[in-house]
Structure formats: C-alpha cells, structure tokens
Amino acid sequence: MFKMLPILSTSILIVCFAGGFLIDAVPVGYFYTFGSATADVKLVQFDDELPETRIALPTPLVFYDTEFTTVFINNNGAVTLKELTASFDYDILPGASIPIISPYWADADTNDNNGTLWYRLSNESSLLERFAKDVSSTFIGIRNFHPSYLIISTWDKVGYHDANKDKTNTFQCVLGSDGISSFSLFLYEDNGIQWTTGDAEGGILGLGGTPAKSGFDLADGVHYFQLPMSGKDEILNISQTSNIDRPGAWMFQIDREVIVSGGCAIEANGTILSVNPTSFNSRGGKLLEVQVVCGLKATDAVWCSFEEADAVGVYISELRGVVCVAPALQTAGWKELHLLVTNEAGVNESVRTAKVYAIPYLEGYEVFATSESNNLLLAPNSKVQLYWLPSAVVSPLAVDGGNETLTVDIKMARLDLSTNQWINSATLETSISNSGNVTISIPDLLESNEIGVYPVVFDISPSRTEGTGLGDIAKISSTVFYMQVTDFTRQMCQSWFDESKASPIYTSEYSCPVTLERAQLPNSGYVLMSFTSTQASLKAIQENISVDATDMYLSLFNRGSHVCYRQRTAAHSAVQQCCYNAGALIVGPPGGGKILNVPPEQDILQHFMLDLVPYLWCCQAGLQSDCSSYYQLRSSDNGMNSTLPLPAMIFGDPHFISLDGNTYTFNGKGEFDLVVTEDNTFRMQGRMIEAPSDGLAKATVLSAIVANLTNSETVQLEVARDELRIYIGSRRVFFDNLNNVQLRDSTIYKLDNEGDKFGVSFSNGAYIEVTKENGFFSTTIVSLPEEFIGKTLGLLGLYNQDESDDFTSRPPTSVETATNSSLEDIHNHFGLSWMIQSDESLFHYRPKESNEYYNCQEFMPVYSITDSVDDTVCMNDTFCLFDVAVTGNPSIGKATLAARTSFADIKQLSQPVACSPPCVNGACVSTNVCVCGDGYFGQNCGMNISSDCDEGNPCENGGNCSQHAGTYSCDCTYPYFGSFCEQERATSTTSTDDGKSDSTRETLAIVFSVLLATLVLTAVTVTVIVIIVYQLCIQGKKNKVSSDIELSNTNLIEEK
C-alpha cells in the first residue's frame, strides 16, 4: 500500500553531494594519531616491493564471516589478509587473488622521499573508546561494541608511479574488532586526494586512464563491495563524500556475509538495509530506526509500509535514518518492511525492504504487570502494579537510547470487538516519573457489552515528544488482561453451549502425555505454553517478582494447574492443551487441559472469543455455573491413547541411533541425507566436519543440519565460530528478544537462555532438537510421528520398526548392509551412499564455502582404538571411551556419556503405560495407577466426591447446593424442581368429580407410593436374609466334611 504522507519534521537540512552528505570535510587533524610521535612503524622509499609488514592479531579479524589472524599493510593503499601482495594489480574488486580491504587502491610510489606509510597495532584506551563511539553513533542498533584492538594504517602524502610527486594523496584506514564483530573506517584528508592513476595505468599527470578503486574483496569471485565512485574519475572527489554525515569519512561493518554500510545505505552491490530493533510487539507502538538510502533530501516524503498497515509517522532522525512507529498488526510473524521515498513531484524514487518480526501480543509485551487477584481478570476500581525498564521508553527525540529523565503517560486501551482494533479507553496517569514502576487504579469507565468482558492492555508512552507528532503512538505495552464489565450469568454459558454443540468438536491426533516428565520429552509432540517476555522478565527479576504472565494466565483459565503444554502442530487450527499439577496430568474441570480452537499466538482475538470467553462464562471462580458444559465441547484428554514414538539421536563424533533404535558409528566427512521421505515432501540433511582433536586419530562431528517441507523455506541450524546460528533460507535470524519464530510450515524454538539449544517443529509433525557443546552439535534428536513409518530412508535408517534393514543404501541400488557389519563396511557401503551433491543440497553457504568444499569421500576415519583411555570420565561407556581416544578431549567424551544417559531416560519414559480397569475420570500415569480428576476417587476414579457449595448458593427457593468436579447440583424442596429449583409444580385446589381436590389427590398418591415402596423393600430384605442363611448352612456342611471332625448332633443342630 503506497501513499503519500506528510513530512513530520522539516527542521533538518540535508545537502547531497556525489552519493553522500556534504558538511565539514575531514582535516588531517581528525585522523587517528599517526607518525613519529606514536608507536607507528615507518616505511619510506618503496614502489611495489615492501619489506615484511605482517601484523599478528590477538583475536581474529572477521571479514565476510571468515576469521583472519594476520594482516599485511601494502604500499598501494590496501590492507591484505593471509599474505602480502608484492605488486600492483588493477584487476581487483572483483578479481583479487588475496582478500583485500582498500581505502584507495592505486599505483603508489614513495621513492625519493615521495611520502610515508605508517602503521601499527594499537590497544590505547582513548583510541578504543573513540572507535567504539564512532561505531555506536553510526550504525543503527549497535550500542555495545568494544574493540580489543585497532589496526591503524596511514598513507601520508604518497606520490604515484613512476616516482611522481607533483600530486600526493593522504588517507587512513582504521580496522577495529572484538574477535566477533569487525568495522572499517576510511578517512580522506580534505582536498588531500590529488591523483587517481599511475603512469602504467594510462594516467597523465596522475589523472585519467583507469582510476583508483576503493572497497572490499574476499578473493572468491563472489563476495566484494565497492564504494560508489570506485574505478571512476569521480574518486578524485572522495574526500568530499561520506556515508556517515562527515565528508571524507566512510564506515562499514565487515564481519557479516555482506558489507553493511554505516549511516546511509549505498546503492551498490551487496548492501542490506539495517533496522533496529528487528522485532516488535504486534500490538504496535515500537520505535523502529530504519536506514535510509544515501541521497535523501529534506523535501522528500519518507514513510514505512508493512504488509498489513502503514506506519503512522516518519521523520528524519539524528542518526541519518528514519524513525517509524510500528503499527498494530492483526497477525504475528515475519513482515516485509518497505521504506518508500517520494519526491516533490510524487514520483517514487526508491523502495528498499527489510525483514522484521512481529511478536504475538502475549509474548511481546515490555511492561510487566500484576493484579490484586494474581490473575488476568480485572474488576473496576481494582489496582494493578506496572513495572518496566526505564530505558525501554524511548523518546523520538532520543532514539539512540532510553531516557530515564523522561516523564511518561499511562493509558489503558481495549480491543474493539467489532473492528478488531485497539482503541484508547482512558488516560490513567500523565507526566509521571519514568521510574520503572507505578500502582494504578482501574476506573469504571468501560461500557457493558454482550459478553461481559473486554481485553485490555496498559500502555506507557513518553510525555515529551515536541515537534515529532509521534507522542500518541510511540509506546510500550503490558500483556493482555481481561476487564469484567458485567456479571457473568449461567444463561451466557447455556446459550454458548446450545449454539456450539452442533459445531464440529475437534479431537487431537496426539493424546496428552500422562505425566509432566513425558510432556517434556522431545518426542512428546508438545511444547510448553509460556507467555514470558524477555524484556519484561528482566524487570521482574530486578524486582524479585516470582509470578509471571504465564502463572496469571493459568490461574484464570486453568485453575489448579502448575504448567500446561500444547501440541506443536495440528492438522487443523485447533490444538490439544494438557495441564499438570505435581507432575500428573489433570483431567476435566476446572483446571484440566482442553481443546483450544485457536492458539493465542495465532490470533489473539479469535482465541479470546472462541476459547477464553466461554470459559469465563462457564468456569470462572465465584460463579456456580456448569463448567462441565465447557469441557464437554472443549474436552480434556486423559492420555489413554498416548504413545511416544522413540526418537533418533546423533551424538558425539558422531554416533547414530536410528529411528528403529539401531546404534552405529559413521565418521563421514561432508554433507549427507539424514532423512528423506519416499515422496520427497520432507528432507533433512546434515554436515559433518573433522572433529577438533588433540589426538592423532581422525573423526568427524555434526556441525550443521538443514530441513524443509516441499515448497517451504529451509531452516538451517549451524555451529560457526562457536556460536549456534539460525538461517531461514539464506537470511540469518537473531533471537536476542525472541523465544520462538513462526514460519508458514515450521516454528523455531529457543530452548535455553544462552542460545545453545534450539528446536524446530514442522507442520507434518517432524521435530528436530539440537544442543551445541564443544564447538559442534553434541546432541541432535529427531522425532517423527507414526505417519512416517515405512516412508523414510537416509542415515537415520529405513523407519519401519525393524532394525535389520536400517542400513539400506541410497536408491536406485538400495542395497542392505547387515547390521552386524564392521564399521568400515557400514562406512563404505551404507554411509557414503547418502553423501549429497551440490544440486541436491539444501544448505546455505557462508563465504568461500560450498558443497564441494565440505565433501571428502576419501576421508579415512579410525574404526577402532587400541590405546587405553583414562576411564575417570566415561564410567566404562564404550562410546565415551572411543570419543576421548579419537579426539583427545575428555569434555567431548563427557558430552557423549550425557547424551547416552539422556537417551536411556527418553527410552524409559516413552514406554507405554496401561491401567486395568481403565481410568474413567482421571489419567493413567503408570501401570495400574490412576490420578483422579477433581471430584473423583477410587482405583479407576469411578467414585464421586461431593461437598457443600463453598461460594454462594445458586439454588433457588430453598434448594440445597452440593458441588462436584467443577460443577454442582441442586436438591430441591417440594414443590420446586429444575436445575436451579427454579420451576414449581402445579398446586391448584380446584375440585374434581369425586369431590377431592388436585392437591389431595397428589398427597394421597405420594403416601401410596411411599407405602408401596416400603412393602417392596421389606419383601426384598426378607428374601436376602433367607438366601444368606441358606448359604451359611451349605458352607457349614462343606467345612465339616473337609475338616473330618465329628460333631455331636446337638452341635450340628445348633450350627443349622
């Protein structure tokens, strides 16, 4: 949706010149210190041949996602990596044979005192601080970069080939790194660039011919980047241009797979558009800093457009970017952000895009809130305590960080159920201190509605937004609460039940795991229901608050449960929820799991209307309504049909446990198919690299996996530079503020705080879980549902519950290798057959990598060990001993042992359980052990527990109330009847033909019925007594015969 929006701020004047911004040019005094007064190394009187200029680095310089530990300074205006370039070669950028970083690649000549080259490695604190400030003030979203060293190279008044010194150039290159991130700063002295070309390149008096170049080249023919004027005559004016608002200064981030421009984005090969933050609450209100394209004019209209809505306001920021306020979005997930620039004539000059992630409401909140009831249901005039990080409230006038001196406003917004839009309902506080916490009272302002409740949130926004127009839309929000505006009535529940019972009642493909331990298993098919927000949790920890949003959700909608899980995937939108208390499954009202028609992360409004509101009507505490009606249509699962398919596992160096449970070792080196379905609808591949080894033996480890469904984006998990990376297609995803990421056919889960453990579920039921340790995947678990049986091949075996044919090679040969074969035969005849080629690969490759780069069929691993190994770590486990022997690293062996132990636990807990007789109102948690639902007891939970109603009496006309299993019943007094004793029998006294009144007839009928019942009961009692006496007599005779004791006639008569 493209449309013209007005400029909100016109107070910033930007003049564009040659692709950059023209302000004050860089004098040489602005350079980082160099020369004889520093520790610089000085080089003079050289043309191409230079002495050794190697600099060994204390931590790697990361360039195009590749680590380098040595750099060389070159006379011709470049820093090279790996080795020194001995002569000038114009054909780089692209075309370099050595990785190169060049502020000004030209044929320099410093003979005859024609200039000086200075360089040094510096860790001077003042310079490190200056560089860190240059980075933070230049790059969107980078605030905590602290370099450990700088490489400072200065070409001071250098002449050009051949020994010409009528014109000279002065420029500087500063490289800074912390071993993870790396940045480059190019500085050109004001009017200090006077020549572009040496004589050998066709230059006349230093100009013309083939001019100098400036940029970066990894020397792989693919990854390179040039400044806009590189290789053009305009490079003579480079000291008057910039991408960071300072003519003569150009700054770039160089550690990623593409070069990232600081300040404004350059329209050149390889740039990406930076956005900060890259995720926001789909509730909207988050300030997003968006990089602009170099050349933006103050008269241009600029705005942000999302897939569902346009940003409300945009203005040019002090960071040479654009600030957009994220709009409220109906759905969560990845969104395409369009930055649109329209000139005065209404012509779209450029459209740049970036990916941002909209977090579901219930997970993306930044304000932590607690209520007096410790749940999410609010009443008018109750109190709520709000907590937030002051730094999270960002003024549009201070987008480089939070401002704790701001004053803030507190507002309450409600969801309009007719438009599905959030609207402001009340301003609760204005211009209060941005202290990080406040107690507010809830006003009685909301109008009644037919459902009796509204979803509400609390918004905190900066009070002072002078001149921006963004004050009403920039905000941070709380989790969703539910404001009760009218009393819930039993008629609400009954009406919902009557209307809904004709609709389909979904049942789950996955029965509930019967214990919490089983629900936590990777092969359970379930995932923890959590509404924890990263930023809000930080504040909760600071305030030492134990309750969180998940606790409050369960307290309201699953009373009595401590934790709930839900299906990872489903064939339809509805999913099964399973809830637990004290480790056991809870069945039935009021706290048991239920069918959720719409999970909250899919659509908060539909979840509210279809799942939560009916529960409030039928089950809300304090209302004696029929909760069993709700559970009749949103039933709990008791786990009777719970079966957990045994997962496959890859661990150690690596060892495999197939989907059928066969254990073997395969040390291939390269990329392999792990799982392939016969119809190719699902494929999973793994990459095995040579193991880090302190020993002499050869082994491999799993370093990356990738998987996808047909026509869906690939999900790749990879260990690179000792960090676990996630790629969606070729796009890297950072989980700094994310707990999970939802895609069309898969969901990625972050499973620990450190980012070393992730899970991926697919819509076909497949699940993959990886754990990074010791620089590789120490454990990889693959769980497939039973629908995959008989349909898969690969290194994880032919999945058919038969171990004997697991080692089936790739079709079309499909040769079976016996399971008792040697490791060498398994390696050569089975394992290597599943090595993939480049046209089959699903992998995204980092710079200088490819399928051919990794594949090595000739790799010969060790198949057995002969040397003894210290067994203090391995406890006589053969796989652990093997890994310690081949790697020389006890920690790898320890991880292998832990994986083996973990799998044994999974196998044990996955065993089926059965109860006889079956549990009718509870869950069978182990063999013949039932845990009963609320209101039931007995061996199979078949007996009822009833008690007096503890809160109020809904029974009318003097009826007595008793409650059971989350519901109740009324014992009515005559003449009343009905569910609530609300109906009265007819008591008319009109005479009949026989002269008796109706009431008299009714009374006589009752008396007669009572007498008749008494007579029947007496007859039955006498009959039972006779039968019992007769049985005793018969038993007495049998006792006499069996004991062979002679009794006197008297005794015999007495016995009878």
Side-chain angles (χ1 to χ4, degrees):
M1 178 170 23
F2 298 166
K3 62 184 181 182
M4 177 72 72
L5 294 181
I7 293 291
L8 297 178
S9 174
T10 57
S11 60
I12 301 174
L13 178 64
I14 301 175
V15 180
C16 182
F17 179 81
F21 296 120
L22 178 60
I23 311 178
D24 292 332
V26 173
V28 75
Y30 183 79
F31 280 27
Y32 281 63
T33 55
F34 70 93
S36 57
T38 70
D40 274 353
V41 176
K42 177 182 179 181
L43 295 174
V44 296
Q45 297 190 11
F46 289 100
D47 185 1
D48 288 338
E49 299 298 329
L50 278 176
E52 182 67 39
T53 60
R54 177 194 304 265
I55 299 178
L57 304 177
T59 57
L61 177 73
V62 184
F63 179 54
Y64 274 116
D65 203 21
T66 306
E67 294 183 347
F68 296 91
T69 57
T70 306
V71 299
F72 299 83
I73 313 304
N74 294 265
N75 196 46
N76 293 311
V79 176
T80 55
L81 299 91
K82 283 191 174 181
E83 60 184 87
L84 182 70
T85 177
S87 60
F88 178 75
D89 179 4
Y90 182 79
D91 292 325
I92 68 165
L93 297 166
S97 58
I98 303 170
I100 187 170
I101 299 169
S102 177
Y104 202 84
W105 181 246
D107 196 358
D109 188 343
T110 57
N111 280 312
D112 194 21
N113 294 318
N114 194 13
T116 305
L117 171 58
W118 306 88
Y119 71 92
R120 75 181 184 276
L121 181 71
S122 174
N123 61 1
E124 300 168 64
S125 59
S126 60
L127 296 182
L128 295 177
E129 291 174 7
R130 174 184 169 183
F131 195 82
K133 184 177 180 181
D134 285 343
V135 169
S136 63
S137 63
T138 298
F139 288 87
I140 288 176
I142 299 178
R143 301 287 183 263
N144 297 307
F145 173 71
H146 302 288
S148 55
Y149 62 83
L150 302 179
I151 305 165
I152 304 172
S153 309
T154 309
W155 290 261
D156 184 22
K157 294 182 172 55
V158 296
Y160 59 96
H161 182 81
D162 184 16
N164 296 297
K165 53 184 177 181
D166 57 308
K167 298 181 177 70
T168 62
N169 291 341
T170 299
F171 55 95
Q172 188 177 67
C173 173
V174 184
L175 303 175
S177 178
D178 61 0
I180 298 174
S181 300
S182 301
F183 297 85
S184 72
L185 173 62
F186 296 163
L187 296 173
Y188 305 91
E189 184 187 10
D190 185 21
N191 296 317
I193 302 300
Q194 300 174 358
W195 62 269
T196 63
T197 316
D199 293 348
E201 288 70 51
I204 299 175
L205 298 178
L207 303 175
T210 52
K213 293 183 177 180
S214 178
F216 310 87
D217 195 338
L218 188 58
D220 63 351
V222 177
H223 297 87
Y224 62 90
F225 175 89
Q226 296 188 65
L227 273 65
M229 65 291 298
S230 176
K232 304 174 183 177
D233 290 335
E234 290 86 347
I235 200 169
L236 186 66
N237 299 316
I238 195 170
S239 66
Q240 303 303 312
T241 64
S242 175
N243 66 338
I244 62 171
D245 236 0
R246 186 70 189 265
W250 290 81
M251 201 164 197
F252 302 90
Q253 184 174 3
I254 62 174
D255 56 84
R256 298 189 182 181
E257 295 180 22
V258 294
I259 300 298
V260 180
S261 174
C264 59
I266 305 169
E267 289 286 2
N269 178 44
T271 57
I272 62 175
L273 191 65
S274 297
V275 181
N276 179 59
T278 56
S279 61
F280 59 91
N281 187 350
S282 52
R283 161 89 174 88
K286 190 71 174 178
L287 286 171
L288 304 180
E289 301 171 63
V290 186
Q291 192 177 28
V292 298
V293 180
C294 294
L296 186 70
K297 300 176 182 177
T299 54
D300 293 337
V302 184
W303 69 94
C304 295
S305 180
F306 294 80
E307 295 175 8
E308 298 177 23
D310 289 342
V312 179
V314 179
Y315 78 105
I316 306 297
S317 78
E318 296 179 355
L319 291 178
R320 296 150 302 279
V322 164
V323 174
C324 300
V325 178
L329 302 176
Q330 300 295 328
T331 59
W334 287 106
K335 307 295 178 183
E336 195 82 20
L337 187 156
H338 297 261
L339 180 63
L340 301 164
V341 179
T342 304
N343 63 21
E344 293 176 292
V347 178
N348 292 334
E349 293 188 321
S350 64
V351 177
R352 296 299 296 264
T353 61
K355 284 283 190 179
V356 291
Y357 189 78
I359 308 171
Y361 294 164
L362 298 185
E363 299 174 14
Y365 58 93
E366 295 184 70
V367 179
F368 186 81
T370 59
S371 67
E372 291 178 313
S373 62
N374 275 336
N375 66 39
L376 299 177
L377 190 65
L378 301 178
N381 303 314
S382 62
K383 295 186 182 300
V384 173
Q385 186 77 28
L386 303 181
Y387 304 90
W388 68 95
L389 295 174
S391 58
V393 185
V394 182
S395 167
L397 299 179
V399 294
D400 58 339
N403 186 349
E404 297 189 17
T405 63
L406 283 171
T407 59
V408 296
D409 298 338
I410 313 291
K411 299 177 182 178
M412 184 174 72
R414 68 172 175 87
L415 188 62
D416 188 304
L417 304 181
S418 60
T419 64
N420 199 15
Q421 301 291 326
W422 290 97
I423 59 176
N424 287 331
S425 294
T427 298
L428 307 179
E429 300 283 354
T430 58
S431 299
I432 65 171
S433 171
N434 185 25
S435 62
N437 67 80
V438 67
T439 300
I440 57 174
S441 296
I442 309 301
D444 188 4
L445 296 176
L446 296 182
E447 298 178 356
S448 299
N449 62 10
E450 60 182 11
I451 63 174
V453 63
Y454 284 104
V456 298
V457 295
F458 301 100
D459 296 328
I460 301 177
S461 58
S463 301
R464 295 182 295 170
T465 54
E466 298 91 337
T468 67
L470 300 179
D472 292 333
I473 52 179
K475 59 182 176 289
I476 58 175
S477 301
S478 72
T479 191
V480 179
F481 283 80
Y482 304 95
M483 173 67 73
Q484 185 174 352
V485 291
T486 59
D487 291 336
F488 302 134
T489 66
R490 56 177 176 265
Q491 285 77 14
M492 291 177 174
C493 178
Q494 190 61 46
S495 297
W496 168 80
F497 180 83
D498 293 339
E499 292 174 4
S500 302
K501 63 184 178 183
S503 302
I505 301 174
Y506 294 117
T507 57
S508 169
E509 313 97 274
Y510 301 100
S511 187
C512 279
V514 293
T515 64
L516 179 58
E517 279 187 313
R518 289 166 69 96
Q520 293 169 334
L521 295 177
N523 55 324
S524 72
Y526 282 79
V527 63
L528 178 68
M529 286 191 71
S530 174
F531 308 118
T532 301
S533 162
T534 303
Q535 292 207 29
S537 294
L538 291 175
K539 182 60 179 179
I541 292 172
Q542 289 180 6
E543 299 286 345
N544 196 27
I545 303 170
S546 57
V547 65
D548 65 10
T550 305
D551 298 326
M552 292 191 289
Y553 180 95
L554 299 182
S555 176
L556 181 58
F557 298 112
N558 298 93
R559 298 195 312 276
S561 64
H562 289 169
V563 63
C564 290
Y565 281 69
R566 68 162 182 81
Q567 280 176 254
R568 292 195 193 104
T569 56
H572 41 70
S573 62
V575 298
Q576 178 69 56
Q577 179 197 49
C578 310
C579 297
Y580 302 85
N581 188 1
L585 180 66
I586 302 175
V587 177
K594 56 187 78 78
I595 290 289
L596 301 177
N597 261 17
V598 181
E601 66 276 6
Q602 287 186 12
D603 189 316
I604 186 66
L605 177 61
Q606 292 301 309
H607 174 65
F608 169 71
M609 293 297 296
L610 297 179
D611 295 315
L612 303 187
V613 168
Y615 184 92
L616 292 174
W617 287 343
C618 298
C619 302
Q620 167 53 25
L623 173 72
Q624 295 298 334
S625 185
D626 193 358
C627 198
S628 61
S629 296
Y630 180 87
Y631 275 85
Q632 185 175 337
L633 301 185
R634 300 284 188 270
S635 58
S636 285
D637 184 272
N638 66 0
M640 287 181 60
N641 300 315
S642 176
T643 58
L644 303 184
L646 199 64
M649 179 181 280
I650 307 170
F651 61 98
D653 72 336
H655 313 290
F656 291 75
I657 301 175
S658 73
L659 290 161
D660 288 332
N662 200 350
T663 303
Y664 71 99
T665 298
F666 171 59
N667 277 175
K669 182 180 179 181
E671 297 176 340
F672 300 86
D673 274 323
L674 300 178
V675 176
V676 182
T677 57
E678 59 183 12
D679 57 2
N680 285 316
T681 56
F682 178 72
R683 195 167 192 174
M684 175 184 174
Q685 298 173 346
R687 175 185 298 156
M688 294 153 65
I689 62 173
E690 202 158 347
S693 175
D694 294 333
L696 300 176
K698 289 187 176 182
T700 56
V701 292
L702 188 67
S703 68
I705 61 168
V706 62
N708 78 333
L709 303 180
T710 303
N711 299 323
S712 68
E713 287 185 296
T714 58
V715 177
Q716 180 169 326
L717 302 97
E718 176 181 1
V719 180
R721 290 166 47 199
D722 200 33
E723 62 179 348
L724 201 164
R725 300 182 177 186
I726 310 294
Y727 293 90
I728 299 173
S730 60
R731 184 177 75 256
R732 187 177 174 188
V733 179
F734 295 88
F735 275 74
D736 297 340
N737 295 315
L738 299 175
N739 296 319
N740 61 73
V741 166
Q742 301 170 39
L743 307 174
R744 187 187 66 184
D745 294 312
S746 59
T747 303
I748 307 170
Y749 304 94
K750 183 180 179 182
L751 301 177
D752 69 350
N753 294 328
E754 294 74 26
D756 291 336
K757 188 174 184 178
F758 279 84
V760 185
S761 65
F762 295 87
S763 58
N764 63 359
Y767 177 71
I768 302 167
E769 185 174 295
V770 298
T771 302
K772 179 189 79 71
E773 193 173 358
N774 298 309
F776 61 94
F777 289 142
S778 60
T779 306
T780 300
I781 296 174
V782 181
S783 177
L784 302 180
E786 293 179 347
E787 290 79 6
F788 279 76
I789 292 177
K791 299 178 181 179
T792 73
L793 288 169
L795 289 184
L796 293 181
L798 175 59
Y799 185 25
N800 61 359
Q801 299 180 328
D802 178 4
E803 294 183 18
S804 66
D805 57 5
D806 270 357
F807 299 153
T808 299
S809 64
R810 177 191 295 272
T813 57
S814 298
V815 175
E816 292 184 17
T817 301
T819 55
N820 61 355
S821 300
S822 67
L823 290 183
E824 186 172 3
D825 284 344
I826 293 172
H827 180 96
N828 292 325
H829 303 305
F830 166 65
L832 290 181
S833 76
W834 289 104
M835 181 177 281
I836 62 173
Q837 304 306 311
S838 58
D839 59 343
E840 303 172 292
S841 174
L842 301 176
F843 282 103
H844 161 71
Y845 294 98
R846 298 187 300 132
K848 289 205 165 186
E849 296 179 356
S850 64
N851 172 260
E852 294 80 5
Y853 173 86
Y854 285 106
N855 279 357
C856 182
Q857 279 201 325
E858 298 75 22
F859 180 79
M860 295 295 295
V862 168
Y863 299 115
S864 62
I865 57 173
T866 56
D867 298 335
S868 61
V869 178
D870 184 3
D871 195 28
T872 56
V873 170
C874 293
M875 301 173 62
N876 207 34
D877 182 270
T878 55
F879 292 92
C880 173
L881 292 170
F882 183 89
D883 289 359
V884 173
V886 298
T887 65
N889 189 342
S891 62
I892 293 179
K894 186 177 181 181
T896 295
L897 180 62
R900 293 260 291 165
T901 303
S902 172
F903 189 82
D905 293 340
I906 293 173
K907 187 173 182 179
Q908 176 63 35
L909 288 169
S910 299
Q911 298 300 314
V913 296
C915 291
S916 182
C919 308
V920 292
N921 296 298
C924 179
V925 297
S926 62
T927 302
N928 293 330
V929 177
C930 295
V931 172
C932 300
D934 184 34
Y936 298 95
F937 74 104
Q939 180 184 355
N940 70 335
C941 307
M943 304 179 72
N944 293 353
I945 301 174
S946 297
S947 60
D948 293 336
C949 296
D950 55 4
E951 294 189 24
N953 185 356
C955 305
E956 301 175 10
N957 299 306
N960 295 318
C961 175
S962 62
Q963 62 184 21
H964 157 72
T967 185
Y968 63 90
S969 61
C970 289
D971 182 16
C972 304
T973 60
Y974 180 80
Y976 300 101
F977 69 99
S979 299
F980 304 97
C981 305
E982 75 278 14
Q983 301 183 55
E984 183 179 1
R985 292 181 174 87
T987 57
S988 172
T989 59
T990 305
S991 297
T992 59
D993 293 341
D994 59 5
K996 297 181 177 64
S997 67
D998 288 342
S999 60
T1000 303
R1001 286 178 178 276
E1002 188 171 356
T1003 301
L1004 291 174
I1006 294 172
V1007 170
F1008 177 77
S1009 298
V1010 171
L1011 290 174
L1012 180 61
T1014 303
L1015 290 173
V1016 171
L1017 178 61
T1018 302
V1020 171
T1021 303
V1022 170
T1023 302
V1024 171
I1025 292 173
V1026 170
I1027 292 172
I1028 292 173
V1029 170
Y1030 176 76
Q1031 291 293 331
L1032 289 173
C1033 290
I1034 297 299
Q1035 185 64 41
K1037 289 180 179 180
K1038 291 180 180 178
N1039 291 340
K1040 174 180 178 300
V1041 173
S1042 63
S1043 62
D1044 198 25
I1045 300 174
E1046 293 185 0
L1047 300 176
S1048 67
N1049 289 336
T1050 302
N1051 288 338
L1052 182 59
I1053 292 171
E1054 289 178 353
E1055 181 183 355
K1056 292 182 179 179

